[in-house]
Amino acid sequence: MENQYCRVGSSNPVASGAESIDWLERQYHHFLEKAAEAQQGETKLRDFFERKALQLQQQLQQLMHA
């Protein structure tokens, strides 16, 4: 039997240039939508999505000004 390698936890680098900006923008909007969809009682979940959106927004700003 041959060795098999699991990809769990592996990461792929984000493409450079316009592709990375497009991908980050899509992810940013996705997390904003998830935060908006979070129910009133799910404040921790909503906070998590908002935090992720903020991180993505900061990355986008860094790419735009670089």
Side-chain angles (χ1 to χ4, degrees):
M1 200 173 207
E2 292 183 33
N3 290 339
Q4 295 181 353
Y5 298 98
C6 182
R7 292 184 50 147
V8 173
S10 68
S11 62
N12 295 326
V14 175
S16 63
E19 289 180 25
S20 64
I21 292 173
D22 289 342
W23 184 82
L24 285 172
E25 285 177 343
R26 284 193 307 272
Q27 291 298 309
Y28 171 70
H29 291 294
H30 171 75
F31 281 111
L32 283 180
E33 289 174 13
K34 288 293 204 179
E37 291 172 1
Q39 305 249 339
Q40 291 286 8
E42 298 176 354
T43 56
K44 288 184 180 182
L45 184 60
R46 187 177 62 238
D47 290 345
F48 169 78
F49 289 136
E50 288 173 348
R51 216 172 23 254
K52 291 300 282 183
L54 180 62
Q55 290 172 349
L56 290 168
Q57 183 184 30
Q58 291 170 347
Q59 288 179 343
L60 277 167
Q61 289 174 347
Q62 288 176 351
L63 282 174
M64 297 292 222
H65 295 292

